[in-house]
Amino acid sequence: GAVVSQHPSRVICKSGTSVKIECRSLDFQATTMFWYRQFPKQSLMLMATSNEGSKATYEQGVEKDKFLINHASLTLSTLTVTSAHPEDSSFYICSATASGRPRGELFFGEGSRLTVL
Amino acid sequence: KQEVTQIPAALSVPEGENLVLNCSFTDSAIYNLQWFRQDPGKGLTSLLLIQSSQREQTSGRLNASLDKSSGRSTLYIAASQPGDSATYLCAVAPLQGGSEKLVFGKGTKLTVNP
């Protein structure tokens, strides 16, 4: 149980275009989802926290107008990278908490590799 | 600000060897500490979660310890196998401000040679 699915796993886009990444909880309701970014050989850095039906909370230094997060239902959160540039190329990972599980326990998606040409 | 450091950054061992991965954190006010495994280009798989009140957790060939006062945790892998090759990440959850806001180390890349 507690499976988180991300789609697409890999995406290549041209500079200036927008890309949407989906994060779904397949067998549980995710009250809160988190989006991370991971550069090569670096730590996962938390970008934002999203709660179903409310605006996302962004970490310091993360541009909310560039990284649009929508958490429209208890099983789906989306991250849209708007007007992508090569420096946005990274590995994006989502995670989710599940009600009824121990506090602080997170379930991670498989990640999405974004390459901006 | 919490900082998590993992040493070594990379480790290569022959199959069958026992090994220890190290994690240190600067702020002892943690809710829990987790060890994850990450395969290349993949997401994270949770290995062990240690609550702040616990000293260790075991799962199969894995044993994780936690010394909160000194800001240290170790992941012990017994009888390593080539399939254990991956990057191992340590992450701490803060006591306040959202215990799900994990702070990660950069990881230790482990290679187990057959």
Side-chain angles (χ1 to χ4, degrees):
Chain A
V3 176
V4 175
S5 173
Q6 272 186 249
H7 177 81
S9 58
R10 292 178 180 271
V11 57
I12 301 173
C13 70
K14 293 182 179 180
S15 184
T17 61
S18 295
V19 174
K20 180 184 287 188
I21 301 170
E22 293 186 347
C23 178
R24 292 182 184 272
S25 56
L26 298 185
D27 51 0
F28 66 99
Q29 292 186 330
T31 51
T32 304
M33 287 186 170
F34 303 86
W35 287 95
Y36 295 84
R37 181 168 51 186
Q38 185 182 32
F39 292 107
K41 298 184 179 180
Q42 297 297 314
S43 306
L44 274 74
M45 298 299 295
L46 180 64
M47 299 175 65
T49 303
S50 75
N51 292 289
E52 184 265 337
S54 62
K55 290 184 178 180
T57 302
Y58 290 81
E59 296 300 304
Q60 190 174 8
V62 178
E63 301 175 57
K64 63 179 181 180
D65 294 329
K66 181 168 185 62
F67 299 99
L68 301 179
I69 293 173
N70 184 280
H71 195 155
S73 75
L74 284 172
T75 60
L76 174 65
S77 176
T78 60
L79 168 68
T80 301
V81 183
T82 62
S83 187
H85 288 94
E87 58 265 30
D88 297 324
S89 298
S90 187
F91 194 58
Y92 293 87
I93 306 177
C94 71
S95 68
T97 56
S99 60
R101 297 301 290 248
R103 179 183 159 200
E105 185 176 30
L106 289 175
F107 302 96
F108 284 81
E110 285 288 295
S112 299
R113 171 77 60 192
L114 170 64
T115 302
V116 184
L117 302 176
Chain B
K1 179 184 176 183
Q2 179 73 272
E3 293 184 2
V4 179
T5 303
Q6 291 188 245
I7 295 173
L11 181 63
S12 182
V13 301
E15 181 177 4
E17 191 163 298
N18 302 325
L19 58 100
V20 175
L21 307 181
N22 297 290
C23 172
S24 62
F25 47 95
T26 55
D27 187 347
S28 62
I30 65 170
Y31 186 76
N32 62 40
L33 181 145
Q34 297 184 63
W35 283 93
F36 294 90
R37 169 184 174 139
Q38 185 177 29
D39 292 291
K42 299 291 185 181
L44 276 63
T45 300
S46 180
L47 298 174
L48 290 165
L49 185 154
I50 311 176
Q51 300 294 349
S52 63
S53 59
Q54 298 175 321
R55 299 284 291 181
E56 67 175 346
Q57 282 285 340
T58 298
S59 176
R61 293 183 293 109
L62 305 179
N63 176 276
S65 69
L66 173 64
D67 185 341
K68 196 173 65 169
S69 61
S70 68
R72 297 177 187 274
S73 175
T74 61
L75 178 65
Y76 174 83
I77 301 177
S80 59
Q81 303 170 357
D84 294 331
S85 298
T87 296
Y88 291 81
L89 297 169
C90 167
V92 297
L95 194 58
Q96 296 179 343
S99 60
E100 293 82 15
K101 286 193 172 185
L102 303 184
V103 178
F104 285 84
K106 292 184 179 181
T108 293
K109 184 176 181 180
L110 173 65
T111 302
V112 181
N113 301 301

Coordinates of all heavy atoms in Angstrom, one line a residue, chain A residues 25-85:
Chain A
S25 N -1.5 9.7 -5.6 CA -1.5 8.7 -4.6 C -2.5 7.6 -5.1 O -3.6 7.9 -5.3 CB -1.9 9.3 -3.3 OG -3.1 9.9 -3.3
L26 N -2.0 6.4 -5.3 CA -2.8 5.4 -6.0 C -3.8 4.7 -5.0 O -4.9 4.3 -5.5 CB -1.9 4.4 -6.7 CG -1.0 4.9 -7.8 CD1 -0.3 3.8 -8.4 CD2 -1.8 5.8 -8.8
D27 N -3.4 4.5 -3.8 CA -4.2 3.7 -2.9 C -4.5 4.3 -1.6 O -4.8 3.6 -0.6 CB -3.6 2.3 -2.8 CG -2.2 2.4 -2.3 OD1 -1.6 3.5 -2.2 OD2 -1.5 1.3 -2.2
F28 N -4.3 5.6 -1.5 CA -4.6 6.3 -0.3 C -4.9 7.8 -0.6 O -4.6 8.3 -1.7 CB -3.5 6.2 0.7 CG -2.2 6.9 0.3 CD1 -1.9 8.2 0.8 CD2 -1.3 6.3 -0.6 CE1 -0.7 8.8 0.4 CE2 -0.2 7.0 -1.1 CZ 0.1 8.2 -0.6
Q29 N -5.5 8.4 0.4 CA -5.7 9.9 0.2 C -4.6 10.7 0.8 O -4.2 10.4 2.0 CB -7.1 10.2 0.9 CG -8.3 9.6 0.2 CD -9.6 10.1 0.8 OE1 -9.6 10.4 2.0 NE2 -10.6 10.2 0.0
A30 N -4.0 11.5 0.0 CA -2.9 12.3 0.4 C -3.3 13.7 0.8 O -3.6 14.5 0.0 CB -1.9 12.4 -0.7
T31 N -3.4 13.9 2.1 CA -3.8 15.2 2.6 C -2.8 16.3 2.3 O -3.1 17.4 2.0 CB -4.0 15.2 4.1 OG1 -2.9 14.6 4.8 CG2 -5.3 14.3 4.4
T32 N -1.5 15.9 2.3 CA -0.4 16.8 2.0 C 0.6 16.2 1.1 O 0.9 15.0 1.2 CB 0.3 17.2 3.3 OG1 -0.6 17.8 4.3 CG2 1.4 18.3 3.0
M33 N 1.0 17.0 0.1 CA 2.0 16.5 -0.8 C 3.2 17.5 -0.9 O 2.9 18.7 -0.6 CB 1.4 16.3 -2.2 CG 0.5 15.1 -2.4 SD 0.0 14.8 -4.1 CE -0.7 13.2 -4.0
F34 N 4.3 17.0 -1.1 CA 5.5 17.8 -1.1 C 6.2 17.6 -2.4 O 6.3 16.5 -3.0 CB 6.5 17.4 0.0 CG 5.9 17.4 1.4 CD1 5.1 16.4 1.9 CD2 6.0 18.6 2.2 CE1 4.5 16.4 3.1 CE2 5.4 18.6 3.5 CZ 4.7 17.5 3.9
W35 N 6.8 18.7 -2.9 CA 7.6 18.7 -4.1 C 9.0 19.0 -3.8 O 9.3 20.0 -3.2 CB 7.0 19.7 -5.2 CG 5.7 19.2 -5.8 CD1 4.5 19.5 -5.4 CD2 5.6 18.3 -6.9 NE1 3.6 18.9 -6.2 CE2 4.2 18.1 -7.1 CE3 6.5 17.6 -7.7 CZ2 3.7 17.3 -8.1 CZ3 6.0 16.8 -8.7 CH2 4.6 16.7 -8.9
Y36 N 9.9 18.2 -4.3 CA 11.4 18.4 -4.2 C 12.0 18.5 -5.5 O 11.6 18.0 -6.5 CB 12.0 17.1 -3.4 CG 11.5 16.9 -2.0 CD1 10.3 16.2 -1.8 CD2 12.3 17.4 -0.9 CE1 9.9 16.0 -0.5 CE2 11.8 17.1 0.4 CZ 10.7 16.5 0.6 OH 10.3 16.3 1.9
R37 N 13.2 19.1 -5.5 CA 14.1 19.2 -6.7 C 15.4 18.6 -6.3 O 15.9 18.9 -5.2 CB 14.2 20.6 -7.1 CG 15.0 20.8 -8.4 CD 14.8 22.2 -9.0 NE 15.0 23.2 -8.0 CZ 14.8 24.5 -8.2 NH1 14.4 24.9 -9.4 NH2 15.0 25.4 -7.2
Q38 N 16.0 17.9 -7.1 CA 17.3 17.3 -6.9 C 18.2 17.5 -8.0 O 18.0 16.9 -9.1 CB 17.2 15.8 -6.6 CG 18.4 15.1 -6.2 CD 18.3 13.6 -5.9 OE1 17.5 12.9 -6.5 NE2 19.0 13.1 -5.0
F39 N 19.3 18.2 -7.8 CA 20.3 18.4 -8.8 C 21.4 17.3 -8.7 O 21.5 16.7 -7.6 CB 21.0 19.8 -8.7 CG 20.0 20.9 -9.1 CD1 19.5 21.7 -8.1 CD2 19.7 21.1 -10.4 CE1 18.7 22.8 -8.4 CE2 18.8 22.2 -10.7 CZ 18.3 23.0 -9.8
P40 N 22.1 17.0 -9.7 CA 23.1 15.9 -9.7 C 24.0 16.0 -8.5 O 24.6 17.0 -8.2 CB 23.8 16.0 -11.0 CG 22.9 16.6 -11.9 CD 22.1 17.6 -11.1
K41 N 24.1 14.9 -7.7 CA 25.0 14.8 -6.6 C 24.7 15.8 -5.5 O 25.5 16.1 -4.7 CB 26.5 14.9 -7.0 CG 26.9 13.9 -8.0 CD 28.4 14.0 -8.3 CE 28.9 12.9 -9.3 NZ 30.3 13.0 -9.6
Q42 N 23.5 16.2 -5.5 CA 23.0 17.1 -4.4 C 21.9 16.6 -3.6 O 21.3 15.5 -4.0 CB 22.6 18.5 -5.0 CG 23.7 19.2 -5.8 CD 24.8 19.6 -4.9 OE1 24.6 20.1 -3.8 NE2 26.0 19.4 -5.3
S43 N 21.6 17.2 -2.5 CA 20.4 16.8 -1.7 C 19.1 17.1 -2.4 O 19.0 17.9 -3.3 CB 20.5 17.6 -0.4 OG 21.7 17.5 0.3
L44 N 18.1 16.4 -1.9 CA 16.7 16.8 -2.3 C 16.4 18.1 -1.6 O 16.6 18.2 -0.3 CB 15.7 15.8 -1.9 CG 15.5 14.6 -2.8 CD1 16.6 13.6 -2.8 CD2 14.2 13.9 -2.5
M45 N 15.9 19.1 -2.3 CA 15.6 20.3 -1.7 C 14.1 20.5 -1.8 O 13.5 20.4 -2.9 CB 16.3 21.5 -2.4 CG 17.8 21.4 -2.4 SD 18.4 21.5 -0.7 CE 17.9 23.2 -0.2
L46 N 13.5 20.8 -0.7 CA 12.0 21.0 -0.7 C 11.7 22.3 -1.4 O 12.3 23.3 -1.1 CB 11.5 21.0 0.8 CG 10.0 21.2 1.0 CD1 9.2 20.0 0.4 CD2 9.7 21.4 2.4
M47 N 10.8 22.2 -2.3 CA 10.3 23.4 -3.1 C 9.0 24.0 -2.5 O 8.9 25.2 -2.3 CB 10.0 23.0 -4.5 CG 11.2 22.5 -5.3 SD 10.8 22.0 -6.9 CE 10.3 23.5 -7.7
A48 N 8.1 23.1 -2.2 CA 6.8 23.6 -1.7 C 6.0 22.5 -1.1 O 6.2 21.3 -1.3 CB 6.0 24.2 -2.9
T49 N 5.0 22.9 -0.3 CA 4.1 22.0 0.4 C 2.7 22.3 -0.1 O 2.3 23.5 -0.2 CB 4.2 22.2 1.9 OG1 5.5 22.0 2.3 CG2 3.2 21.2 2.6
S50 N 2.0 21.3 -0.6 CA 0.6 21.6 -1.0 C -0.4 20.8 -0.3 O -0.2 19.6 0.0 CB 0.5 21.2 -2.5 OG 0.5 19.8 -2.8
N51 N -1.5 21.4 0.1 CA -2.6 20.8 0.8 C -3.8 20.9 -0.1 O -4.0 21.9 -0.8 CB -2.9 21.5 2.1 CG -1.8 21.3 3.1 OD1 -1.6 20.3 3.7 ND2 -1.0 22.4 3.3
E52 N -4.6 19.8 -0.1 CA -5.7 19.7 -1.0 C -6.7 20.9 -0.7 O -7.0 21.2 0.4 CB -6.5 18.4 -0.7 CG -7.6 18.1 -1.6 CD -8.9 18.6 -1.0 OE1 -9.0 18.6 0.2 OE2 -9.9 18.8 -1.8
G53 N -7.0 21.6 -1.8 CA -7.9 22.6 -1.8 C -7.4 24.0 -1.3 O -8.2 24.9 -1.2
S54 N -6.1 24.1 -1.1 CA -5.6 25.4 -0.7 C -4.3 25.7 -1.4 O -3.8 24.8 -2.1 CB -5.3 25.4 0.8 OG -4.4 24.4 1.2
K55 N -3.9 26.9 -1.3 CA -2.7 27.3 -2.0 C -1.4 26.7 -1.4 O -1.4 26.4 -0.2 CB -2.5 28.9 -1.9 CG -3.5 29.6 -2.7 CD -3.2 31.1 -2.6 CE -4.2 31.9 -3.5 NZ -4.0 33.4 -3.4
A56 N -0.5 26.4 -2.3 CA 0.7 25.8 -1.9 C 1.6 26.8 -1.1 O 1.5 28.0 -1.3 CB 1.5 25.3 -3.1
T57 N 2.4 26.2 -0.2 CA 3.4 27.0 0.6 C 4.7 26.8 0.0 O 5.2 25.6 0.0 CB 3.3 26.6 2.1 OG1 2.0 26.8 2.6 CG2 4.3 27.5 2.8
Y58 N 5.4 27.8 -0.5 CA 6.7 27.7 -1.1 C 7.8 28.0 -0.1 O 7.7 28.8 0.7 CB 6.7 28.7 -2.3 CG 5.8 28.3 -3.4 CD1 4.5 28.6 -3.4 CD2 6.3 27.6 -4.5 CE1 3.6 28.2 -4.4 CE2 5.5 27.2 -5.6 CZ 4.1 27.5 -5.5 OH 3.3 27.2 -6.5
E59 N 8.9 27.3 -0.4 CA 10.1 27.5 0.4 C 10.8 28.8 -0.1 O 10.6 29.2 -1.2 CB 11.0 26.3 0.4 CG 10.5 25.0 1.0 CD 10.1 25.2 2.4 OE1 11.0 25.5 3.2 OE2 8.9 24.9 2.8
Q60 N 11.6 29.3 0.8 CA 12.3 30.5 0.5 C 13.2 30.3 -0.8 O 13.9 29.3 -0.9 CB 13.2 31.0 1.7 CG 13.8 32.3 1.5 CD 14.5 32.8 2.8 OE1 14.7 32.0 3.7 NE2 14.9 34.0 2.8
G61 N 13.1 31.3 -1.7 CA 13.9 31.2 -2.9 C 13.2 30.5 -4.1 O 13.8 30.5 -5.2
V62 N 12.1 29.9 -3.8 CA 11.4 29.2 -4.9 C 10.3 30.1 -5.5 O 9.4 30.6 -4.7 CB 10.7 27.9 -4.4 CG1 9.9 27.2 -5.5 CG2 11.8 27.0 -3.8
E63 N 10.3 30.4 -6.8 CA 9.4 31.3 -7.4 C 8.0 30.7 -7.6 O 7.9 29.7 -8.4 CB 10.0 31.8 -8.8 CG 11.3 32.5 -8.7 CD 11.8 32.8 -10.1 OE1 11.1 33.5 -10.8 OE2 12.9 32.3 -10.4
K64 N 7.0 31.1 -6.9 CA 5.7 30.5 -7.0 C 5.1 30.7 -8.4 O 4.2 29.9 -8.8 CB 4.8 31.1 -5.9 CG 4.5 32.6 -6.0 CD 3.6 33.0 -4.9 CE 3.3 34.5 -5.0 NZ 2.4 34.9 -3.9
D65 N 5.4 31.8 -9.1 CA 4.9 32.1 -10.4 C 5.5 31.2 -11.5 O 5.0 31.0 -12.6 CB 5.0 33.5 -10.8 CG 4.2 34.4 -9.9 OD1 3.1 34.0 -9.4 OD2 4.6 35.6 -9.6
K66 N 6.7 30.7 -11.1 CA 7.4 29.8 -12.1 C 7.0 28.4 -11.9 O 6.9 27.6 -12.8 CB 8.9 30.0 -12.0 CG 9.7 29.2 -13.0 CD 11.1 29.6 -13.0 CE 11.8 28.8 -14.1 NZ 11.2 29.1 -15.5
F67 N 6.9 28.0 -10.7 CA 6.5 26.6 -10.3 C 5.1 26.6 -9.7 O 4.9 26.8 -8.5 CB 7.6 26.1 -9.3 CG 9.0 26.0 -9.8 CD1 9.9 27.0 -9.5 CD2 9.4 25.0 -10.7 CE1 11.2 27.0 -10.0 CE2 10.7 25.0 -11.2 CZ 11.6 26.0 -10.8
L68 N 4.2 26.4 -10.6 CA 2.8 26.4 -10.2 C 2.4 25.0 -9.7 O 2.6 24.0 -10.3 CB 1.9 26.8 -11.4 CG 2.2 28.1 -12.1 CD1 1.2 28.4 -13.2 CD2 2.0 29.3 -11.0
I69 N 1.8 25.0 -8.5 CA 1.4 23.8 -7.9 C -0.1 23.8 -7.6 O -0.7 24.8 -7.1 CB 2.1 23.6 -6.6 CG1 3.6 23.3 -6.9 CG2 1.5 22.4 -5.8 CD1 4.5 23.2 -5.6
N70 N -0.8 22.8 -8.1 CA -2.2 22.6 -7.9 C -2.5 21.3 -7.2 O -2.0 20.3 -7.7 CB -2.9 22.7 -9.2 CG -4.4 22.6 -9.1 OD1 -5.0 21.6 -8.9 ND2 -5.0 23.8 -9.1
H71 N -3.3 21.3 -6.2 CA -3.6 20.1 -5.4 C -5.1 20.0 -5.4 O -5.8 20.3 -4.4 CB -3.0 20.2 -4.0 CG -3.0 18.9 -3.3 ND1 -2.1 18.7 -2.3 CD2 -3.7 17.8 -3.4 CE1 -2.3 17.4 -1.8 NE2 -3.3 16.9 -2.4
A72 N -5.7 19.7 -6.5 CA -7.1 19.8 -6.7 C -7.9 18.7 -6.0 O -9.1 18.8 -5.7 CB -7.5 19.8 -8.2
S73 N -7.3 17.6 -5.7 CA -8.0 16.5 -5.1 C -7.1 15.8 -4.1 O -5.9 16.1 -4.0 CB -8.5 15.4 -6.1 OG -7.4 14.6 -6.6
L74 N -7.7 14.9 -3.3 CA -6.9 14.2 -2.3 C -5.9 13.1 -2.9 O -5.2 12.5 -2.2 CB -7.8 13.5 -1.3 CG -8.4 14.5 -0.3 CD1 -9.5 13.8 0.6 CD2 -7.4 15.1 0.6
T75 N -6.0 13.0 -4.2 CA -5.1 12.0 -4.8 C -4.2 12.5 -5.9 O -3.4 11.8 -6.5 CB -5.9 10.8 -5.4 OG1 -6.8 11.3 -6.4 CG2 -6.7 10.1 -4.3
L76 N -4.3 13.8 -6.2 CA -3.5 14.4 -7.3 C -3.0 15.8 -7.0 O -3.7 16.7 -6.5 CB -4.4 14.5 -8.5 CG -3.8 15.2 -9.8 CD1 -2.6 14.4 -10.3 CD2 -4.8 15.3 -10.9
S77 N -1.7 15.9 -7.2 CA -1.1 17.2 -7.1 C -0.3 17.4 -8.4 O 0.3 16.4 -8.9 CB -0.1 17.4 -5.9 OG 0.5 18.6 -6.0
T78 N -0.3 18.6 -9.0 CA 0.5 18.8 -10.2 C 1.5 20.0 -10.0 O 1.2 20.9 -9.3 CB -0.4 19.2 -11.4 OG1 -1.1 20.3 -11.1 CG2 -1.3 18.0 -11.7
L79 N 2.6 19.8 -10.6 CA 3.7 20.9 -10.7 C 3.8 21.3 -12.1 O 4.1 20.5 -13.0 CB 5.0 20.3 -10.1 CG 6.2 21.2 -10.3 CD1 6.1 22.5 -9.5 CD2 7.5 20.4 -9.9
T80 N 3.6 22.6 -12.4 CA 3.8 23.1 -13.7 C 5.0 24.0 -13.7 O 5.0 25.0 -13.0 CB 2.6 23.8 -14.3 OG1 1.5 22.9 -14.3 CG2 2.8 24.3 -15.7
V81 N 6.0 23.7 -14.5 CA 7.2 24.5 -14.7 C 6.9 25.5 -15.8 O 6.8 25.0 -17.0 CB 8.5 23.7 -14.9 CG1 9.7 24.7 -15.0 CG2 8.7 22.7 -13.8
T82 N 6.7 26.7 -15.6 CA 6.3 27.7 -16.6 C 7.5 28.3 -17.3 O 8.5 28.6 -16.6 CB 5.4 28.7 -16.1 OG1 6.1 29.5 -15.1 CG2 4.1 28.1 -15.5
S83 N 7.5 28.5 -18.6 CA 8.6 29.2 -19.3 C 9.9 28.6 -18.9 O 10.8 29.3 -18.3 CB 8.6 30.7 -19.0 OG 9.5 31.3 -19.8
A84 N 10.0 27.3 -19.1 CA 11.2 26.6 -18.6 C 12.4 27.0 -19.3 O 12.4 27.4 -20.5 CB 11.0 25.1 -18.8
H85 N 13.5 27.0 -18.6 CA 14.8 27.3 -19.1 C 15.8 26.2 -18.7 O 15.5 25.4 -17.8 CB 15.3 28.7 -18.5 CG 14.6 29.8 -19.1 ND1 13.5 30.4 -18.4 CD2 14.8 30.6 -20.2 CE1 13.0 31.4 -19.1 NE2 13.8 31.5 -20.2

